[in-house]
Amino acid sequence: MKAIVCVKQVPDTSGKVAVNPDGTLDRASMLTIVNPDDMNAVEAALKLKDETGCKVVVVTMGPPPAEGMLRQLMAMGADEGVLVSAREFGGSDTFATSQILAAALNKMGLDPDDVVFCGRQAIDGDTAQVGPQIAEKLGMPQISYVADIHKEGSVIVCKRMLEDGYMMVETQTPCLLTCIKELNQPRYMSILGIKDCYTKPVTVYDYNALKDDPLIDPTTIGLKGSPTNILTSFTPPLKGVGMMLEGTGKSTTDQLVGMLAAKHVI
Amino acid sequence: MALQYTKEQKMLRALVKEFADKEVGPRAAEMDRNESMDPTLLKMLGDLGFMGLGIPVEYGGAGMGMMEKSIVVEELARKDAATAEVMSVHNMAYLAILKHGSEELKQKFLPIAAKGGIAAFALTEPSAGSDAAGVQTTAVADGDDYIINGSKCFISNMGPQEGSFVTVLVSTDPSKGSKGFSAIVVERGTPGFTIGKREEKLGIRAADVSELIFEDCRVPKANLVGAEGKGFGYFMEALDSGRIGMASQALGIAEEALDLSIEYLKVRVQFGKPLSKQQGLQWYLADMGTKVEAARALIYEAASDMDRGDPVGKIAAIAKYYASEIGVQVTDKALQLHSGYGYMRDYPLERMYRDARIIPIYEGTSEIQKIIISRELLK
């Protein structure tokens, strides 16, 4: 039994965000963190490991330095890492990314009792699409916005959060769950985990490793295979300076109405 | 040679930084006010493996070295010097057992320490401080036991709340002076061993520092560390590590004081511009930054020397002397830069200023460090 977690390295939003001329993010020049929702997915997988002794495999698609993030997750307790990395995969949108990650999961091989965990969404794109797309492409049941998980053998029951309540959903493994921050509190790395994390295996899946999968085709991966076109990226201009009108009398109201009228708001 | 941190050391620093920001910093002011460590925090330190940092894996620890210990103490001290002190003393206090103890002693005490049972180390007595050779506590052999009588004072990590076991320096042969000193492990709760006054202190108030009293305290001979008459050497050896740890504590406090000052000078506007635009104050920052970097270089030089197995007596003393002095100077200057706000208890500098003041005193005063350094220079 495996708990597989798809994770993404995202820009640290407390730092500076840089954009390439083609509108994509200049990831190499930015400080990065593990996508926050993905940390909840990792914690969910580690809890399953604590309960069942299963193996936890963390998977990411990204440039070679993303291995550092996989090591960090191994220091938390993950057993293996898979780094999906190739020039051909660069510039992928959510459609292309899910093609590639689904192919990577095919390559790893899903057993009947495996569970795939994803974060709800990444803080850079905020699409919440990659997890559900992977499940669709693998023909696997999925439960999104998961806030509680119970697994009994091959049956999984989850609490799925909605805007106005929640629903309880039951499904069979193998399945894919997308996790929200209410699910758990991610653990810290441990000292022993740090000591051992560089001795654990990380496998790199390059283009050649995945190219025979029917999901991998030049028209379905990378920037060329991405239906999303970014027309323009820009930093929103700062808003103008606000103005406070002091006073409670009619003259202040008249002043306000006058200003709004002058700007054709009313 | 420029110091290079390993990938694991960088990751360790990231972990401690995150832990200190989230868990230690928010508790620091209250622990200081209450004069007690938060037991939840101590448990977390044990669970995450901090307490077994230098204990070999076969005894339940992580088997890491002085570099890692310095990183941990430095980052903890940024947010709370008392937490850093407990960690630093603990990771020194089991060293005599680790290096010189019998297998039985190691099997018994090291796993306890690795799991978070706090270790202490008792040298100082009312009449034996800087002159460690003045130890008067005695241990007399009686069958399979030693009977210990005497008292120790200002002992860190052993008090009303903390402390599982303490390695005590005793005289087993008063006729031989320090050559008659031995190290014996005493467990908390041993009949005849009581904890006296818990000291009320200027700083590091959350950490237990207490008087230990031994009255016909009977301890099995198996608790002797190494050989009789060798205890003084074991203690002096452990103190080399302790000095680098305490220097790291001073470095952490100084770094945080510097960072707080930089932040404050940028936002505090007086005479129509931020204080950071005043050249006179910029020069203060430059001095503080220079001192912090010099201390860091000395500490990690000493730590890497120790991990390589090189002698560190001189460099550890230099690092301890320098870092502890600049810890006081930098927090003092930072408090001055914050002026009224720095003096108030609502802000962390007031606590940091008090905390920093112990470091030129414990684990060998600055004056003792100068004796060690000059003795090495004149060799």
Side-chain angles (χ1 to χ4, degrees):
Chain A
M1 177 185 169
K2 298 189 289 297
I4 300 168
V5 196
C6 298
V7 287
K8 184 179 187 184
Q9 206 173 28
V10 294
D12 184 350
T13 46
S14 61
K16 213 174 174 183
V17 174
V19 178
N20 286 320
D22 66 3
T24 55
L25 284 172
D26 176 9
R27 294 178 187 277
S29 74
M30 290 185 289
L31 288 174
T32 56
I33 54 169
V34 184
N35 180 50
D37 284 349
D38 298 354
M39 290 295 276
N40 298 105
V42 171
E43 177 60 32
L46 292 174
K47 279 218 170 88
L48 197 59
K49 178 183 172 179
D50 294 342
E51 289 161 15
T52 65
C54 70
K55 187 164 76 175
V56 174
V57 186
V58 283
V59 188
T60 192
M61 184 172 94
E67 185 192 329
M69 172 186 65
L70 296 179
R71 298 290 177 191
Q72 181 189 335
L73 302 175
M74 290 170 168
M76 288 169 70
D79 302 288
E80 288 180 23
V82 173
L83 174 62
V84 182
S85 189
R87 279 195 184 283
E88 290 85 346
F89 302 152
S92 293
D93 69 357
T94 63
F95 173 84
T97 300
S98 62
Q99 292 282 118
I100 299 162
L101 286 176
L105 295 182
N106 275 335
K107 172 100 182 161
M108 288 160 65
L110 286 175
D111 296 323
D113 54 354
D114 284 355
V115 184
V116 181
F117 295 89
C118 295
R120 172 193 53 168
Q121 65 192 52
I123 54 167
D124 50 1
D126 270 333
T127 65
Q129 292 169 352
V130 170
Q133 286 181 5
I134 292 172
E136 284 300 313
K137 287 168 184 176
L138 292 176
M140 193 163 59
Q142 59 172 294
I143 306 175
S144 52
Y145 308 110
V146 166
D148 197 20
I149 303 169
H150 290 284
K151 184 172 187 291
E152 293 265 337
S154 63
V155 177
I156 281 201
V157 179
C158 291
K159 181 179 182 180
R160 179 172 189 254
M161 295 308 290
L162 304 171
E163 277 182 11
D164 53 354
Y166 64 87
M167 57 168 70
M168 301 303 292
V169 185
E170 181 183 310
T171 190
Q172 293 281 320
T173 60
C175 63
L176 184 144
L177 313 177
T178 78
C179 305
I180 61 175
K181 69 172 188 299
E182 289 77 8
L183 174 62
N184 54 39
Q185 176 67 38
R187 68 193 65 187
Y188 290 102
M189 294 182 272
S190 71
I191 304 275
L192 265 181
I194 289 173
K195 187 182 166 70
D196 293 341
C197 71
Y198 279 92
T199 63
K200 293 178 178 177
V202 168
T203 311
V204 178
Y205 287 175
D206 59 8
Y207 178 72
N208 282 328
L210 300 182
K211 70 177 181 348
D212 296 331
D213 192 292
L215 291 163
I216 301 297
D217 181 283
T219 62
T220 61
I221 61 163
L223 191 59
K224 283 184 185 159
S226 296
T228 310
N229 286 312
I230 297 166
L231 296 178
T232 175
S233 297
F234 59 93
T235 307
L238 289 174
K239 288 181 179 169
V241 182
M243 183 190 290
M244 287 296 290
L245 299 179
E246 300 280 345
T248 53
K250 185 168 184 305
S251 65
T252 315
T253 316
D254 290 345
Q255 195 186 351
L256 175 63
V257 170
M259 290 169 76
L260 291 174
K263 291 199 180 290
H264 306 291
V265 177
I266 52 174
Chain B
M1 187 182 76
L3 180 70
Q4 298 284 330
Y5 294 105
T6 65
K7 287 185 245 180
E8 289 87 348
Q9 287 165 353
K10 288 180 189 167
M11 204 182 269
L12 177 67
R13 189 181 288 279
L15 163 67
V16 192
K17 213 181 256 291
E18 185 188 358
F19 181 81
D21 282 346
K22 288 187 183 165
E23 312 291 349
V24 182
R27 290 174 163 93
E30 196 183 337
M31 295 196 303
D32 177 66
R33 254 194 319 273
N34 296 343
E35 298 201 33
S36 69
M37 295 294 298
D38 182 340
T40 312
L41 182 64
L42 291 176
K43 183 171 184 314
M44 288 170 99
L45 286 167
D47 290 347
L48 288 173
F50 285 106
M51 306 307 263
L53 210 58
I55 294 175
V57 176
E58 59 265 35
Y59 301 108
M64 289 180 168
M66 196 63 226
M67 285 291 289
E68 288 81 3
K69 180 178 157 184
S70 294
I71 289 169
V72 169
V73 173
E74 177 194 340
E75 292 297 335
L76 290 176
R78 290 179 71 118
K79 297 299 169 189
D80 183 38
T83 306
E85 193 256 359
V86 172
M87 267 294 304
S88 184
V89 171
H90 170 83
N91 276 296
M92 171 191 70
Y94 57 67
L95 283 182
I97 299 173
L98 174 60
K99 291 192 174 172
H100 307 286
S102 64
E103 190 53 39
E104 185 190 342
L105 215 50
K106 289 190 218 180
Q107 294 281 2
K108 183 169 181 189
F109 289 105
L110 295 179
I112 295 174
K115 283 199 195 88
I118 295 174
F121 178 87
L123 191 162
T124 305
E125 295 186 8
S127 58
S130 293
D131 179 10
V135 164
Q136 290 183 349
T137 299
T138 57
V140 177
D142 181 46
D144 290 338
D145 299 328
Y146 285 109
I147 298 172
I148 304 176
N149 277 290
S151 68
K152 297 281 174 181
C153 63
F154 306 153
I155 304 306
S156 300
N157 280 7
M158 191 47 95
Q161 287 185 298
E162 298 154 22
S164 292
F165 63 91
V166 54
T167 305
V168 189
L169 191 65
V170 295
S171 174
T172 42
D173 186 349
S175 69
K176 290 184 178 167
S178 65
K179 290 197 170 69
F181 291 173
S182 304
I184 297 178
V185 185
V186 182
E187 287 178 80
R188 189 185 190 96
T190 304
F193 167 38
T194 50
I195 292 160
K197 185 184 174 220
R198 185 199 195 266
E199 302 295 342
E200 292 177 15
K201 309 181 289 302
L202 174 70
I204 55 162
R205 298 171 75 158
D208 273 351
V209 172
S210 308
E211 178 191 21
L212 310 185
I213 301 159
F214 301 92
E215 290 171 305
D216 293 330
C217 174
R218 191 173 278 272
V219 176
K221 273 188 174 168
N223 282 19
L224 174 74
V225 179
E228 268 192 16
K230 301 277 188 190
F232 191 70
Y234 302 159
F235 267 59
M236 291 303 120
E237 180 189 52
L239 278 174
D240 281 343
S241 155
R243 282 170 185 144
I244 303 172
M246 293 314 181
S248 312
Q249 183 195 20
L251 171 64
I253 302 173
E255 276 181 301
E256 184 73 2
L258 173 61
D259 285 354
L260 289 172
S261 302
I262 294 168
E263 214 173 288
Y264 184 71
L265 259 55
K266 282 181 180 170
V267 298
R268 173 70 169 171
V269 175
Q270 292 284 276
F271 305 109
K273 56 183 177 183
L275 292 184
S276 59
K277 301 283 185 196
Q278 304 280 7
Q279 193 180 50
L281 304 186
Q282 291 171 356
W283 287 19
Y284 279 165
L285 283 187
D287 284 341
M288 293 157 77
T290 304
K291 287 172 179 175
V292 163
E293 287 308 317
R296 187 199 311 282
L298 285 169
I299 289 165
Y300 287 99
E301 174 74 25
S304 60
D305 282 359
M306 178 172 268
D307 288 344
R308 275 198 301 273
D310 293 345
V312 295
K314 184 173 80 172
I315 187 77
I318 290 175
K320 160 64 164 73
Y321 168 46
Y322 184 76
S324 61
E325 292 291 330
I326 71 102
V328 173
Q329 292 162 15
V330 171
T331 46
D332 180 50
K333 202 55 84 181
L335 196 144
Q336 186 67 18
L337 288 171
H338 284 73
S339 54
Y341 291 108
Y343 198 72
M344 300 303 156
R345 288 213 160 177
D346 291 346
Y347 296 88
L349 261 175
E350 178 268 344
R351 186 185 73 247
M352 292 161 67
Y353 175 80
R354 288 187 283 108
D355 289 345
R357 190 58 187 85
I358 182 61
I359 312 176
I361 298 172
Y362 65 11
E363 233 79 314
T365 61
S366 285
E367 291 69 27
I368 289 294
Q369 305 309 324
K370 287 196 266 194
I371 291 175
I372 297 169
I373 297 162
S374 56
R375 194 163 51 207
E376 291 284 334
L377 291 172
L378 291 167
K379 249 183 190 174

